[in-house]
Amino acid sequence: MLPTFVIGLREGLEAALIVGIIAAFLAQQGRKDALRQVWIGVGIAVALCVVIGVVLRLVSQELPQQGQEALETVVGALAVVMVTYMVLWMAKHSRGLRKELEGAAASALAQGSTAALVGMAFLAVMREGFETAVFLLALTQASGNATLSFLGALLGILVAAAIGYGIYKGGVRLNLSRFFRITGIVLVIVAAGLVMSTLHTAFEAHWISFGQQRALNLSWLVVQGTPLYSLFSGVLGVQPYPTVTEVTGWLVYAAPMLAYVLWPRTATKKKLIGATNS
């Protein structure tokens, strides 16, 4: 439940930040007409994301066993790509997000166009909602507990919506850089587990056959039917007997991603400025 809560919170907050900043800017400009259009765009995007999530779930349940393994592989790989892009993009843009959005909003209003603002809000919610649906489906397939996964994501989205409303009203101040760094670490670990799960289902679907030698014996820790099994297998993608391919995939993904997320960008920037001035 915790990983899906973090996913729902982070994905929801990204959308809420974009929509909240645009809405607050329009309210300051007295453009209630454009603000209504933004909310309509957000509502349509939410409805489409729900439909996509339901369709993906129904399709996965109707497939035969090998087909389910193949779909789980595709969904897992897609989820890893999405979360990787999300973590990298937010690590780069979180500090200047408000200025960028307000600048784009001001430019759109200056040109007499509100369609661009509606499109920005719609695409923000649509993108984050689609990513949430895919990531949630991948984690649900890995853990097997759809109810807890759904509740965790829903709770995260509700918290994100409350924060977004606070930003719109002007009463919430959030250190975006620190928030996205902390949640980025969690998501990298979860995504690395999805890499392992994806490689495991790829073998079950007969897509890969190499590197299936046993790398570790974790049967003493990952015991089926225990809470730790749900954590390690369902959330972190760790099997009782992980293979060479799965362990290699985890390390190859997690090591550079964690290094990127944890890299002290502010300190590096100050050093570069000091070196230039000297």
Side-chain angles (χ1 to χ4, degrees):
M1 184 173 180
L2 178 60
T4 55
F5 171 79
V6 174
I7 292 164
L9 177 61
R10 184 182 173 111
E11 294 279 7
L13 189 58
E14 287 188 29
L17 280 171
I18 295 173
V19 174
I21 291 171
I22 292 173
F25 181 81
L26 290 175
Q28 291 173 0
Q29 301 298 314
R31 293 297 304 272
K32 292 184 178 180
D33 56 327
L35 190 56
R36 283 193 295 270
Q37 296 176 34
V38 167
W39 295 132
I40 292 173
V42 169
I44 294 173
V46 170
L48 287 176
C49 291
V50 171
V51 171
I52 291 172
V54 172
V55 170
L56 287 175
R57 183 65 179 172
L58 292 176
V59 169
S60 67
Q61 292 176 337
E62 293 298 323
L63 292 174
Q65 183 62 36
Q66 187 172 340
Q68 288 184 11
E69 299 291 350
L71 180 61
E72 287 180 21
T73 303
V74 173
V75 171
L78 184 59
V80 171
V81 171
M82 285 181 171
V83 76
T84 302
Y85 172 80
M86 174 180 61
V87 170
L88 296 178
W89 191 88
M90 265 301 171
K92 182 177 180 181
H93 293 275
S94 60
R95 291 182 181 276
L97 183 61
R98 179 180 290 274
K99 290 183 179 179
E100 291 180 16
L101 288 174
E102 289 182 347
S107 176
L109 288 180
Q111 296 173 5
S113 172
T114 59
L117 299 178
V118 176
M120 286 169 60
F122 173 83
L123 291 176
V125 175
M126 190 67 194
R127 186 189 72 182
E128 306 304 338
F130 179 70
E131 289 178 0
T132 302
V134 172
F135 210 28
L136 183 59
L137 179 61
L139 281 179
T140 300
Q141 291 170 337
S143 66
N145 195 327
T147 302
L148 283 180
S149 297
F150 174 77
L151 289 177
L154 180 61
L155 183 59
I157 291 171
L158 290 176
V159 173
I163 295 174
Y165 182 77
I167 291 172
Y168 165 60
K169 288 297 185 179
V172 173
R173 294 291 182 268
L174 191 65
N175 188 325
L176 296 181
S177 181
R178 181 178 299 175
F179 172 83
F180 285 115
R181 174 169 293 194
I182 293 172
T183 56
I185 294 171
V186 176
L187 287 182
V188 167
I189 298 299
V190 174
L194 275 179
V195 171
M196 295 188 74
S197 298
T198 300
L199 292 172
H200 182 78
T201 54
F203 170 73
E204 296 290 338
H206 306 297
W207 285 6
I208 62 173
S209 57
F210 55 87
Q212 296 306 307
Q213 302 88 347
R214 183 184 298 178
L216 298 170
N217 183 356
L218 300 178
S219 59
W220 57 273
L221 180 63
V222 187
V223 182
Q224 193 167 5
T226 64
L228 282 178
Y229 180 83
S230 299
L231 172 64
F232 283 102
S233 179
V235 177
L236 302 180
V238 178
Q239 302 295 323
Y241 304 101
T243 65
V244 171
T245 300
E246 292 168 9
V247 173
T248 302
W250 194 97
L251 291 173
V252 168
Y253 179 85
M257 285 296 294
L258 285 174
Y260 182 85
V261 172
L262 293 171
W263 191 262
R265 292 173 183 77
T266 303
T268 303
K269 185 176 180 180
K270 288 180 179 178
K271 289 181 181 178
L272 291 174
I273 293 173
T276 305
N277 292 336
S278 61

mmCIF file with all atom_site columns, all heavy atoms in Angstrom, residues 52-74:
data_model
loop_
_atom_site.group_PDB
_atom_site.id
_atom_site.type_symbol
_atom_site.label_atom_id
_atom_site.label_alt_id
_atom_site.label_comp_id
_atom_site.label_asym_id
_atom_site.label_entity_id
_atom_site.label_seq_id
_atom_site.pdbx_PDB_ins_code
_atom_site.Cartn_x
_atom_site.Cartn_y
_atom_site.Cartn_z
_atom_site.occupancy
_atom_site.B_iso_or_equiv
_atom_site.pdbx_formal_charge
_atom_site.auth_seq_id
_atom_site.auth_comp_id
_atom_site.auth_asym_id
_atom_site.auth_atom_id
_atom_site.pdbx_PDB_model_num
ATOM 1   N N   . ILE A 1 52 ? -9.193  4.196   -19.040 1.00 0.00 ? 52 ILE A N   1
ATOM 2   C CA  . ILE A 1 52 ? -7.988  3.492   -19.473 1.00 0.00 ? 52 ILE A CA  1
ATOM 3   C C   . ILE A 1 52 ? -7.563  2.456   -18.433 1.00 0.00 ? 52 ILE A C   1
ATOM 4   O O   . ILE A 1 52 ? -7.209  1.317   -18.764 1.00 0.00 ? 52 ILE A O   1
ATOM 5   C CB  . ILE A 1 52 ? -6.848  4.498   -19.728 1.00 0.00 ? 52 ILE A CB  1
ATOM 6   C CG1 . ILE A 1 52 ? -7.149  5.342   -20.968 1.00 0.00 ? 52 ILE A CG1 1
ATOM 7   C CG2 . ILE A 1 52 ? -5.512  3.777   -19.901 1.00 0.00 ? 52 ILE A CG2 1
ATOM 8   C CD1 . ILE A 1 52 ? -6.187  6.490   -21.188 1.00 0.00 ? 52 ILE A CD1 1
ATOM 9   N N   . GLY A 1 53 ? -7.588  2.846   -17.152 1.00 0.00 ? 53 GLY A N   1
ATOM 10  C CA  . GLY A 1 53 ? -7.208  1.922   -16.090 1.00 0.00 ? 53 GLY A CA  1
ATOM 11  C C   . GLY A 1 53 ? -8.109  0.706   -16.040 1.00 0.00 ? 53 GLY A C   1
ATOM 12  O O   . GLY A 1 53 ? -7.631  -0.432  -15.900 1.00 0.00 ? 53 GLY A O   1
ATOM 13  N N   . VAL A 1 54 ? -9.420  0.905   -16.169 1.00 0.00 ? 54 VAL A N   1
ATOM 14  C CA  . VAL A 1 54 ? -10.380 -0.208  -16.137 1.00 0.00 ? 54 VAL A CA  1
ATOM 15  C C   . VAL A 1 54 ? -10.176 -1.129  -17.337 1.00 0.00 ? 54 VAL A C   1
ATOM 16  O O   . VAL A 1 54 ? -10.179 -2.364  -17.201 1.00 0.00 ? 54 VAL A O   1
ATOM 17  C CB  . VAL A 1 54 ? -11.826 0.331   -16.108 1.00 0.00 ? 54 VAL A CB  1
ATOM 18  C CG1 . VAL A 1 54 ? -12.822 -0.808  -16.287 1.00 0.00 ? 54 VAL A CG1 1
ATOM 19  C CG2 . VAL A 1 54 ? -12.091 1.071   -14.804 1.00 0.00 ? 54 VAL A CG2 1
ATOM 20  N N   . VAL A 1 55 ? -9.977  -0.547  -18.514 1.00 0.00 ? 55 VAL A N   1
ATOM 21  C CA  . VAL A 1 55 ? -9.778  -1.352  -19.727 1.00 0.00 ? 55 VAL A CA  1
ATOM 22  C C   . VAL A 1 55 ? -8.518  -2.194  -19.609 1.00 0.00 ? 55 VAL A C   1
ATOM 23  O O   . VAL A 1 55 ? -8.518  -3.399  -19.939 1.00 0.00 ? 55 VAL A O   1
ATOM 24  C CB  . VAL A 1 55 ? -9.715  -0.444  -20.972 1.00 0.00 ? 55 VAL A CB  1
ATOM 25  C CG1 . VAL A 1 55 ? -9.256  -1.243  -22.196 1.00 0.00 ? 55 VAL A CG1 1
ATOM 26  C CG2 . VAL A 1 55 ? -11.069 0.184   -21.240 1.00 0.00 ? 55 VAL A CG2 1
ATOM 27  N N   . LEU A 1 56 ? -7.422  -1.615  -19.143 1.00 0.00 ? 56 LEU A N   1
ATOM 28  C CA  . LEU A 1 56 ? -6.179  -2.367  -18.970 1.00 0.00 ? 56 LEU A CA  1
ATOM 29  C C   . LEU A 1 56 ? -6.370  -3.537  -18.017 1.00 0.00 ? 56 LEU A C   1
ATOM 30  O O   . LEU A 1 56 ? -5.879  -4.645  -18.253 1.00 0.00 ? 56 LEU A O   1
ATOM 31  C CB  . LEU A 1 56 ? -5.076  -1.437  -18.464 1.00 0.00 ? 56 LEU A CB  1
ATOM 32  C CG  . LEU A 1 56 ? -4.494  -0.443  -19.459 1.00 0.00 ? 56 LEU A CG  1
ATOM 33  C CD1 . LEU A 1 56 ? -3.498  0.487   -18.757 1.00 0.00 ? 56 LEU A CD1 1
ATOM 34  C CD2 . LEU A 1 56 ? -3.784  -1.180  -20.594 1.00 0.00 ? 56 LEU A CD2 1
ATOM 35  N N   . ARG A 1 57 ? -7.083  -3.284  -16.920 1.00 0.00 ? 57 ARG A N   1
ATOM 36  C CA  . ARG A 1 57 ? -7.319  -4.332  -15.939 1.00 0.00 ? 57 ARG A CA  1
ATOM 37  C C   . ARG A 1 57 ? -8.156  -5.467  -16.518 1.00 0.00 ? 57 ARG A C   1
ATOM 38  O O   . ARG A 1 57 ? -7.848  -6.654  -16.323 1.00 0.00 ? 57 ARG A O   1
ATOM 39  C CB  . ARG A 1 57 ? -8.012  -3.730  -14.712 1.00 0.00 ? 57 ARG A CB  1
ATOM 40  C CG  . ARG A 1 57 ? -8.260  -4.716  -13.585 1.00 0.00 ? 57 ARG A CG  1
ATOM 41  C CD  . ARG A 1 57 ? -6.967  -5.212  -12.996 1.00 0.00 ? 57 ARG A CD  1
ATOM 42  N NE  . ARG A 1 57 ? -7.203  -6.132  -11.902 1.00 0.00 ? 57 ARG A NE  1
ATOM 43  C CZ  . ARG A 1 57 ? -6.245  -6.842  -11.307 1.00 0.00 ? 57 ARG A CZ  1
ATOM 44  N NH1 . ARG A 1 57 ? -4.990  -6.726  -11.699 1.00 0.00 ? 57 ARG A NH1 1
ATOM 45  N NH2 . ARG A 1 57 ? -6.533  -7.659  -10.309 1.00 0.00 ? 57 ARG A NH2 1
ATOM 46  N N   . LEU A 1 58 ? -9.228  -5.129  -17.246 1.00 0.00 ? 58 LEU A N   1
ATOM 47  C CA  . LEU A 1 58 ? -10.105 -6.141  -17.824 1.00 0.00 ? 58 LEU A CA  1
ATOM 48  C C   . LEU A 1 58 ? -9.381  -6.969  -18.887 1.00 0.00 ? 58 LEU A C   1
ATOM 49  O O   . LEU A 1 58 ? -9.546  -8.195  -18.953 1.00 0.00 ? 58 LEU A O   1
ATOM 50  C CB  . LEU A 1 58 ? -11.347 -5.483  -18.429 1.00 0.00 ? 58 LEU A CB  1
ATOM 51  C CG  . LEU A 1 58 ? -12.320 -4.836  -17.435 1.00 0.00 ? 58 LEU A CG  1
ATOM 52  C CD1 . LEU A 1 58 ? -13.442 -4.133  -18.171 1.00 0.00 ? 58 LEU A CD1 1
ATOM 53  C CD2 . LEU A 1 58 ? -12.877 -5.880  -16.468 1.00 0.00 ? 58 LEU A CD2 1
ATOM 54  N N   . VAL A 1 59 ? -8.582  -6.305  -19.708 1.00 0.00 ? 59 VAL A N   1
ATOM 55  C CA  . VAL A 1 59 ? -7.844  -7.012  -20.754 1.00 0.00 ? 59 VAL A CA  1
ATOM 56  C C   . VAL A 1 59 ? -6.866  -8.010  -20.139 1.00 0.00 ? 59 VAL A C   1
ATOM 57  O O   . VAL A 1 59 ? -6.737  -9.148  -20.598 1.00 0.00 ? 59 VAL A O   1
ATOM 58  C CB  . VAL A 1 59 ? -7.096  -6.010  -21.661 1.00 0.00 ? 59 VAL A CB  1
ATOM 59  C CG1 . VAL A 1 59 ? -6.115  -6.735  -22.571 1.00 0.00 ? 59 VAL A CG1 1
ATOM 60  C CG2 . VAL A 1 59 ? -8.086  -5.213  -22.492 1.00 0.00 ? 59 VAL A CG2 1
ATOM 61  N N   . SER A 1 60 ? -6.178  -7.603  -19.083 1.00 0.00 ? 60 SER A N   1
ATOM 62  C CA  . SER A 1 60 ? -5.188  -8.486  -18.449 1.00 0.00 ? 60 SER A CA  1
ATOM 63  C C   . SER A 1 60 ? -5.846  -9.723  -17.838 1.00 0.00 ? 60 SER A C   1
ATOM 64  O O   . SER A 1 60 ? -5.246  -10.800 -17.813 1.00 0.00 ? 60 SER A O   1
ATOM 65  C CB  . SER A 1 60 ? -4.426  -7.719  -17.361 1.00 0.00 ? 60 SER A CB  1
ATOM 66  O OG  . SER A 1 60 ? -5.271  -7.367  -16.282 1.00 0.00 ? 60 SER A OG  1
ATOM 67  N N   . GLN A 1 61 ? -7.084  -9.589  -17.363 1.00 0.00 ? 61 GLN A N   1
ATOM 68  C CA  . GLN A 1 61 ? -7.768  -10.725 -16.732 1.00 0.00 ? 61 GLN A CA  1
ATOM 69  C C   . GLN A 1 61 ? -8.294  -11.725 -17.751 1.00 0.00 ? 61 GLN A C   1
ATOM 70  O O   . GLN A 1 61 ? -8.503  -12.895 -17.413 1.00 0.00 ? 61 GLN A O   1
ATOM 71  C CB  . GLN A 1 61 ? -8.928  -10.216 -15.869 1.00 0.00 ? 61 GLN A CB  1
ATOM 72  C CG  . GLN A 1 61 ? -8.482  -9.443  -14.634 1.00 0.00 ? 61 GLN A CG  1
ATOM 73  C CD  . GLN A 1 61 ? -9.651  -8.882  -13.850 1.00 0.00 ? 61 GLN A CD  1
ATOM 74  O OE1 . GLN A 1 61 ? -10.746 -8.689  -14.392 1.00 0.00 ? 61 GLN A OE1 1
ATOM 75  N NE2 . GLN A 1 61 ? -9.446  -8.610  -12.570 1.00 0.00 ? 61 GLN A NE2 1
ATOM 76  N N   . GLU A 1 62 ? -8.529  -11.286 -18.985 1.00 0.00 ? 62 GLU A N   1
ATOM 77  C CA  . GLU A 1 62 ? -9.124  -12.160 -19.992 1.00 0.00 ? 62 GLU A CA  1
ATOM 78  C C   . GLU A 1 62 ? -8.087  -12.979 -20.757 1.00 0.00 ? 62 GLU A C   1
ATOM 79  O O   . GLU A 1 62 ? -8.457  -13.904 -21.479 1.00 0.00 ? 62 GLU A O   1
ATOM 80  C CB  . GLU A 1 62 ? -9.939  -11.322 -20.987 1.00 0.00 ? 62 GLU A CB  1
ATOM 81  C CG  . GLU A 1 62 ? -11.177 -10.665 -20.373 1.00 0.00 ? 62 GLU A CG  1
ATOM 82  C CD  . GLU A 1 62 ? -12.169 -11.687 -19.842 1.00 0.00 ? 62 GLU A CD  1
ATOM 83  O OE1 . GLU A 1 62 ? -12.315 -12.749 -20.481 1.00 0.00 ? 62 GLU A OE1 1
ATOM 84  O OE2 . GLU A 1 62 ? -12.785 -11.433 -18.789 1.00 0.00 ? 62 GLU A OE2 1
ATOM 85  N N   . LEU A 1 63 ? -6.819  -12.678 -20.612 1.00 0.00 ? 63 LEU A N   1
ATOM 86  C CA  . LEU A 1 63 ? -5.786  -13.365 -21.381 1.00 0.00 ? 63 LEU A CA  1
ATOM 87  C C   . LEU A 1 63 ? -5.443  -14.714 -20.759 1.00 0.00 ? 63 LEU A C   1
ATOM 88  O O   . LEU A 1 63 ? -5.578  -14.906 -19.548 1.00 0.00 ? 63 LEU A O   1
ATOM 89  C CB  . LEU A 1 63 ? -4.522  -12.500 -21.438 1.00 0.00 ? 63 LEU A CB  1
ATOM 90  C CG  . LEU A 1 63 ? -4.617  -11.209 -22.254 1.00 0.00 ? 63 LEU A CG  1
ATOM 91  C CD1 . LEU A 1 63 ? -3.333  -10.396 -22.097 1.00 0.00 ? 63 LEU A CD1 1
ATOM 92  C CD2 . LEU A 1 63 ? -4.856  -11.503 -23.730 1.00 0.00 ? 63 LEU A CD2 1
ATOM 93  N N   . PRO A 1 64 ? -4.973  -15.679 -21.567 1.00 0.00 ? 64 PRO A N   1
ATOM 94  C CA  . PRO A 1 64 ? -4.467  -16.932 -21.002 1.00 0.00 ? 64 PRO A CA  1
ATOM 95  C C   . PRO A 1 64 ? -3.184  -16.690 -20.206 1.00 0.00 ? 64 PRO A C   1
ATOM 96  O O   . PRO A 1 64 ? -2.612  -15.594 -20.257 1.00 0.00 ? 64 PRO A O   1
ATOM 97  C CB  . PRO A 1 64 ? -4.196  -17.792 -22.248 1.00 0.00 ? 64 PRO A CB  1
ATOM 98  C CG  . PRO A 1 64 ? -4.021  -16.792 -23.359 1.00 0.00 ? 64 PRO A CG  1
ATOM 99  C CD  . PRO A 1 64 ? -4.927  -15.648 -23.023 1.00 0.00 ? 64 PRO A CD  1
ATOM 100 N N   . GLN A 1 65 ? -2.714  -17.715 -19.494 1.00 0.00 ? 65 GLN A N   1
ATOM 101 C CA  . GLN A 1 65 ? -1.599  -17.536 -18.570 1.00 0.00 ? 65 GLN A CA  1
ATOM 102 C C   . GLN A 1 65 ? -0.362  -16.949 -19.241 1.00 0.00 ? 65 GLN A C   1
ATOM 103 O O   . GLN A 1 65 ? 0.212   -15.969 -18.763 1.00 0.00 ? 65 GLN A O   1
ATOM 104 C CB  . GLN A 1 65 ? -1.240  -18.883 -17.926 1.00 0.00 ? 65 GLN A CB  1
ATOM 105 C CG  . GLN A 1 65 ? -0.125  -18.799 -16.883 1.00 0.00 ? 65 GLN A CG  1
ATOM 106 C CD  . GLN A 1 65 ? -0.500  -17.918 -15.707 1.00 0.00 ? 65 GLN A CD  1
ATOM 107 O OE1 . GLN A 1 65 ? -1.657  -17.900 -15.279 1.00 0.00 ? 65 GLN A OE1 1
ATOM 108 N NE2 . GLN A 1 65 ? 0.457   -17.167 -15.182 1.00 0.00 ? 65 GLN A NE2 1
ATOM 109 N N   . GLN A 1 66 ? 0.062   -17.528 -20.355 1.00 0.00 ? 66 GLN A N   1
ATOM 110 C CA  . GLN A 1 66 ? 1.254   -17.013 -21.024 1.00 0.00 ? 66 GLN A CA  1
ATOM 111 C C   . GLN A 1 66 ? 1.017   -15.609 -21.561 1.00 0.00 ? 66 GLN A C   1
ATOM 112 O O   . GLN A 1 66 ? 1.915   -14.765 -21.544 1.00 0.00 ? 66 GLN A O   1
ATOM 113 C CB  . GLN A 1 66 ? 1.675   -17.949 -22.159 1.00 0.00 ? 66 GLN A CB  1
ATOM 114 C CG  . GLN A 1 66 ? 3.010   -17.560 -22.792 1.00 0.00 ? 66 GLN A CG  1
ATOM 115 C CD  . GLN A 1 66 ? 3.524   -18.599 -23.779 1.00 0.00 ? 66 GLN A CD  1
ATOM 116 O OE1 . GLN A 1 66 ? 3.107   -19.758 -23.746 1.00 0.00 ? 66 GLN A OE1 1
ATOM 117 N NE2 . GLN A 1 66 ? 4.396   -18.187 -24.672 1.00 0.00 ? 66 GLN A NE2 1
ATOM 118 N N   . GLY A 1 67 ? -0.191  -15.354 -22.027 1.00 0.00 ? 67 GLY A N   1
ATOM 119 C CA  . GLY A 1 67 ? -0.524  -14.012 -22.487 1.00 0.00 ? 67 GLY A CA  1
ATOM 120 C C   . GLY A 1 67 ? -0.494  -13.004 -21.354 1.00 0.00 ? 67 GLY A C   1
ATOM 121 O O   . GLY A 1 67 ? -0.071  -11.850 -21.538 1.00 0.00 ? 67 GLY A O   1
ATOM 122 N N   . GLN A 1 68 ? -0.946  -13.417 -20.165 1.00 0.00 ? 68 GLN A N   1
ATOM 123 C CA  . GLN A 1 68 ? -0.884  -12.537 -19.000 1.00 0.00 ? 68 GLN A CA  1
ATOM 124 C C   . GLN A 1 68 ? 0.560   -12.218 -18.635 1.00 0.00 ? 68 GLN A C   1
ATOM 125 O O   . GLN A 1 68 ? 0.879   -11.080 -18.291 1.00 0.00 ? 68 GLN A O   1
ATOM 126 C CB  . GLN A 1 68 ? -1.598  -13.189 -17.817 1.00 0.00 ? 68 GLN A CB  1
ATOM 127 C CG  . GLN A 1 68 ? -3.109  -13.233 -17.945 1.00 0.00 ? 68 GLN A CG  1
ATOM 128 C CD  . GLN A 1 68 ? -3.782  -13.809 -16.715 1.00 0.00 ? 68 GLN A CD  1
ATOM 129 O OE1 . GLN A 1 68 ? -3.152  -13.991 -15.680 1.00 0.00 ? 68 GLN A OE1 1
ATOM 130 N NE2 . GLN A 1 68 ? -5.069  -14.096 -16.824 1.00 0.00 ? 68 GLN A NE2 1
ATOM 131 N N   . GLU A 1 69 ? 1.424   -13.230 -18.709 1.00 0.00 ? 69 GLU A N   1
ATOM 132 C CA  . GLU A 1 69 ? 2.836   -13.000 -18.416 1.00 0.00 ? 69 GLU A CA  1
ATOM 133 C C   . GLU A 1 69 ? 3.440   -12.014 -19.421 1.00 0.00 ? 69 GLU A C   1
ATOM 134 O O   . GLU A 1 69 ? 4.231   -11.135 -19.048 1.00 0.00 ? 69 GLU A O   1
ATOM 135 C CB  . GLU A 1 69 ? 3.611   -14.326 -18.453 1.00 0.00 ? 69 GLU A CB  1
ATOM 136 C CG  . GLU A 1 69 ? 3.156   -15.368 -17.447 1.00 0.00 ? 69 GLU A CG  1
ATOM 137 C CD  . GLU A 1 69 ? 3.480   -14.993 -16.016 1.00 0.00 ? 69 GLU A CD  1
ATOM 138 O OE1 . GLU A 1 69 ? 4.223   -14.031 -15.801 1.00 0.00 ? 69 GLU A OE1 1
ATOM 139 O OE2 . GLU A 1 69 ? 2.983   -15.681 -15.103 1.00 0.00 ? 69 GLU A OE2 1
ATOM 140 N N   . ALA A 1 70 ? 3.057   -12.168 -20.680 1.00 0.00 ? 70 ALA A N   1
ATOM 141 C CA  . ALA A 1 70 ? 3.570   -11.257 -21.708 1.00 0.00 ? 70 ALA A CA  1
ATOM 142 C C   . ALA A 1 70 ? 3.067   -9.842  -21.476 1.00 0.00 ? 70 ALA A C   1
ATOM 143 O O   . ALA A 1 70 ? 3.836   -8.867  -21.589 1.00 0.00 ? 70 ALA A O   1
ATOM 144 C CB  . ALA A 1 70 ? 3.149   -11.754 -23.094 1.00 0.00 ? 70 ALA A CB  1
ATOM 145 N N   . LEU A 1 71 ? 1.760   -9.705  -21.144 1.00 0.00 ? 71 LEU A N   1
ATOM 146 C CA  . LEU A 1 71 ? 1.214   -8.371  -20.887 1.00 0.00 ? 71 LEU A CA  1
ATOM 147 C C   . LEU A 1 71 ? 1.850   -7.753  -19.651 1.00 0.00 ? 71 LEU A C   1
ATOM 148 O O   . LEU A 1 71 ? 2.148   -6.553  -19.636 1.00 0.00 ? 71 LEU A O   1
ATOM 149 C CB  . LEU A 1 71 ? -0.305  -8.454  -20.712 1.00 0.00 ? 71 LEU A CB  1
ATOM 150 C CG  . LEU A 1 71 ? -1.006  -7.118  -20.439 1.00 0.00 ? 71 LEU A CG  1
ATOM 151 C CD1 . LEU A 1 71 ? -0.799  -6.148  -21.595 1.00 0.00 ? 71 LEU A CD1 1
ATOM 152 C CD2 . LEU A 1 71 ? -2.496  -7.324  -20.186 1.00 0.00 ? 71 LEU A CD2 1
ATOM 153 N N   . GLU A 1 72 ? 2.074   -8.557  -18.604 1.00 0.00 ? 72 GLU A N   1
ATOM 154 C CA  . GLU A 1 72 ? 2.729   -8.051  -17.407 1.00 0.00 ? 72 GLU A CA  1
ATOM 155 C C   . GLU A 1 72 ? 4.138   -7.548  -17.729 1.00 0.00 ? 72 GLU A C   1
ATOM 156 O O   . GLU A 1 72 ? 4.589   -6.549  -17.156 1.00 0.00 ? 72 GLU A O   1
ATOM 157 C CB  . GLU A 1 72 ? 2.800   -9.146  -16.346 1.00 0.00 ? 72 GLU A CB  1
ATOM 158 C CG  . GLU A 1 72 ? 1.461   -9.458  -15.704 1.00 0.00 ? 72 GLU A CG  1
ATOM 159 C CD  . GLU A 1 72 ? 1.564   -10.550 -14.659 1.00 0.00 ? 72 GLU A CD  1
ATOM 160 O OE1 . GLU A 1 72 ? 2.684   -10.786 -14.154 1.00 0.00 ? 72 GLU A OE1 1
ATOM 161 O OE2 . GLU A 1 72 ? 0.535   -11.186 -14.345 1.00 0.00 ? 72 GLU A OE2 1
ATOM 162 N N   . THR A 1 73 ? 4.803   -8.225  -18.642 1.00 0.00 ? 73 THR A N   1
ATOM 163 C CA  . THR A 1 73 ? 6.147   -7.788  -19.047 1.00 0.00 ? 73 THR A CA  1
ATOM 164 C C   . THR A 1 73 ? 6.091   -6.435  -19.748 1.00 0.00 ? 73 THR A C   1
ATOM 165 O O   . THR A 1 73 ? 6.884   -5.534  -19.453 1.00 0.00 ? 73 THR A O   1
ATOM 166 C CB  . THR A 1 73 ? 6.786   -8.834  -19.982 1.00 0.00 ? 73 THR A CB  1
ATOM 167 O OG1 . THR A 1 73 ? 6.832   -10.100 -19.318 1.00 0.00 ? 73 THR A OG1 1
ATOM 168 C CG2 . THR A 1 73 ? 8.194   -8.426  -20.376 1.00 0.00 ? 73 THR A CG2 1
ATOM 169 N N   . VAL A 1 74 ? 5.149   -6.298  -20.661 1.00 0.00 ? 74 VAL A N   1
ATOM 170 C CA  . VAL A 1 74 ? 5.010   -5.039  -21.400 1.00 0.00 ? 74 VAL A CA  1
ATOM 171 C C   . VAL A 1 74 ? 4.614   -3.902  -20.469 1.00 0.00 ? 74 VAL A C   1
ATOM 172 O O   . VAL A 1 74 ? 5.200   -2.804  -20.512 1.00 0.00 ? 74 VAL A O   1
ATOM 173 C CB  . VAL A 1 74 ? 3.973   -5.191  -22.531 1.00 0.00 ? 74 VAL A CB  1
ATOM 174 C CG1 . VAL A 1 74 ? 3.698   -3.851  -23.196 1.00 0.00 ? 74 VAL A CG1 1
ATOM 175 C CG2 . VAL A 1 74 ? 4.456   -6.195  -23.560 1.00 0.00 ? 74 VAL A CG2 1
#
